[in-house]
């Protein structure tokens, strides 16, 4: 759409309000609303003002004025508000220079797409994230100076098999056995379908939905792959829709990577391919039907994987999932079918159009604009520098002898370790001014001060179990 078409679209849908949305630096969608009378063709050039100092990781108080300029192509009708409301995703600009703001995650994504085209390697990067999540019935948590706790609950939780439910009808998925029995064991089929229907009403193509491995409502809904910026926008809609559909049904959704102890965590396996002039570049006659460019792309991700984790697995909780010896793909290697490898080559289809690499380490706590852009930059660096990914890992990782296992590099063990890796390896992100040094520095500073240090300062309840009687 262009500006005229958006105004016509709003009139046809009897729109009363306009909701302007953008993503803050760490990765949460923000919004404010104006009456439809405030939206004109000029709005798509002049934007709307707001206080940038109140957005996490952005402006200081003495330079707080910012503009958000709506992108006409993003126009959708919100499916949840009582009054007809037009939603427009915006780009952040400096009100003095009218230059795109370097710390706007969406701007980073736009620059990544432009950089891809400038390299001559291809014209489109397709991304297909599999964002898993949990649907809980209740969540409670608190952290005081003298007390700390969390509690999540679900009617599906196997720990409730002995609970008085008047009556308790059983059929609760056992730990690691939620993939994927039919109802009544799976109690969330209709809710996931409702989520799918709302997503499709917004023009977001859905491929499948199902229960996931863990007990207590772990689930997955797969979006059809889409170009980089479009998919990053869609991931925000995806989270928004799932949370709101759950909320209106008296449930709650979380994309936290590891909310349960001793059961599967929540990942976001991300499928990546590059096309040029309508032709896939990752299909060929090399290993697993890949092209040489695809192997170099895998080499780029593996080379920079530890730094990428600072953006693709950006929470301290992320590393409760990325633990060697468990289900998470922490081994920095590639394989056609081995799901313990960081990169898997899906073998479901022999079609050249289906050839892609699947980066399995990321989780859905990430800021999609920044994480996807960083993955693309690693892929391009691999192709540009012809980075050899080494031999594939086609062995059972759990059966390897210790000396052979020790030779396989691993993902970082903590967010602090990942941030240190990013500090030492980010030149590939600076190409084409996609990421700036300011963005890298602020990301490391924000995450260290507001998350790593804050977690390190607080006693953990399990420490009382371990140490109180010493």
């Amino acid at each position: 759409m262009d500006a005229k078409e958006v105004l016509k679209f709003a009139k046809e849908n009897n729109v009363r309000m306009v909701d302007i949305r953008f993503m803050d630096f760490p990765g949460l969608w923000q919004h404010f609303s104006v009456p439809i009378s405030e939206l004109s063709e000029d709005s798509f050039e002049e934007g709307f003002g707001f206080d940038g100092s109140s957005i996490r990781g952005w402006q200081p108080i003495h330079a707080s004025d910012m503009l958000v300029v709506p992108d006409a192509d993003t126009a959708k009708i919100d499916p949840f508000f009582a009054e007809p409301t037009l939603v427009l995703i915006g780009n952040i600009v400096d009100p003095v220079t009218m230059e795109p703001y370097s710390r706007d995650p969406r701007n980073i994504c736009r620059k990544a797409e432009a950089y891809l085209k400038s390299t001559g390697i291809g014209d489109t990067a397709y991304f297909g994230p599999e964002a898993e999540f949990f649907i809980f019935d209740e969540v409670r948590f608190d952290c005081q100076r003298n007390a700390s706790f969390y509690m999540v609950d679900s009617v599906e939780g196997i720990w409730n098999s002995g609970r008085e439910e008047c009556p308790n009808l059983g059929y609760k998925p056992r730990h690691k056995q939620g993939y994927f029995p039919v109802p009544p064991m799976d109690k969330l089929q209709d809710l996931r379908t409702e989520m799918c229907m709302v997503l499709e009403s917004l023009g977001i193509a859905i491929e499948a939905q199902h229960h996931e491995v863990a007990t207590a409502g772990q689930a997955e809904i797969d979006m059809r792959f889409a170009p980089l910026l479009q998919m990053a926008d869609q991931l925000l809609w995806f989270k928004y829709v799932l949370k709101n559909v759950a909320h209106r049904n008296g449930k709650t959704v979380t994309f936290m990577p590891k909310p349960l102890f001793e059961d599967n965590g929540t990942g976001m396996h991300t499928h990546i391919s590059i096309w040029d002039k309508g032709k896939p570049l990752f299909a060929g006659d090399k290993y697993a039907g890949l092209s040489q460019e695809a192997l170099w792309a895998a080499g780029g991700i593996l080379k920079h994987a530890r730094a990428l984790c600072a953006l693709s697995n950006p929470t301290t909780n992320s590393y409760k999932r990325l633990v060697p010896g468990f289900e998470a793909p922490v081994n920095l290697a590639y394989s056609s079918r081995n799901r313990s490898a960081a990169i898997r080559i899906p073998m479901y289809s022999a079609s050249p159009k289906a050839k892609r690499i699947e980066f399995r380490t990321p989780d859905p706590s990430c800021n999609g604009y920044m994480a996807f852009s960083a993955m693309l930059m690693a892929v391009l660096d691999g192709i540009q520098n012809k980075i050899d990914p080494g031999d594939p890992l086609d062995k059972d990782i759990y059966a390897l002898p210790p000396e052979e296992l020790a030779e396989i590099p691993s993902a970082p063990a903590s967010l602090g370790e990942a941030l240190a890796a990013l500090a030492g390896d980010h030149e590939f992100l600076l190409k084409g001014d996609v990421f700036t040094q300011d963005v890298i520095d602020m990301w490391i500073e924000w995450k260290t001060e507001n998350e790593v240090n804050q977690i390190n300062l607080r006693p953990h309840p399990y420490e009382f179990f371990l140490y109180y009687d010493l």
Side-chain angles (χ1 to χ4, degrees), residues 4-19:
K4 279 186 170 60
E5 291 170 330
V6 170
L7 295 174
K8 180 182 177 183
F9 176 70
K11 186 175 182 179
E12 291 172 346
N13 286 275
N14 300 312
V15 165
R16 304 290 299 277
M17 297 293 289
V18 182
D19 207 46

Side-chain angles (χ1 to χ4, degrees), residues 283 288-290 336 344-356:
L290 295 179
S336 63
R344 187 177 73 96
I345 316 304
M347 301 298 290
Y348 299 127
S349 172
S351 169
K353 295 181 179 181
K355 280 302 170 187
R356 72 256 193 210

Side-chain angles (χ1 to χ4, degrees), residues 372-449:
F372 297 158
S373 297
M375 292 176 209
L376 176 58
M377 296 303 287
V379 161
L380 295 176
D381 188 60
I383 296 172
Q384 290 167 327
N385 293 293
K386 300 181 178 180
I387 298 174
D388 183 0
D391 295 329
L393 179 65
D394 288 334
K395 302 177 181 178
D396 181 357
I397 190 71
Y398 303 108
L400 290 179
E403 60 274 12
E404 192 171 345
L405 184 61
E407 295 178 0
I408 302 173
S410 184
S414 68
L415 179 57
E417 196 176 312
L419 293 170
L422 179 62
D425 176 24
H426 59 261
E427 290 298 319
F428 71 102
L429 297 174
L430 303 180
K431 294 178 181 179
D433 198 40
V434 174
F435 288 78
T436 63
Q437 190 64 50
D438 169 69
V439 166
I440 300 298
D441 292 344
M442 177 52 70
W443 185 261
I444 293 172
E445 178 184 332
W446 173 267
K447 287 288 176 176
T448 300
E449 291 184 1

Side-chain angles (χ1 to χ4, degrees), residues 114 153 168-169 187 246 259 264 267 292 307 314 321 373 444 456 459:
D153 206 3
N168 188 326
L169 299 177
K187 296 175 176 58
N264 279 42
Q292 183 61 67
R321 167 180 170 260
S373 297
I444 293 172
N456 288 343

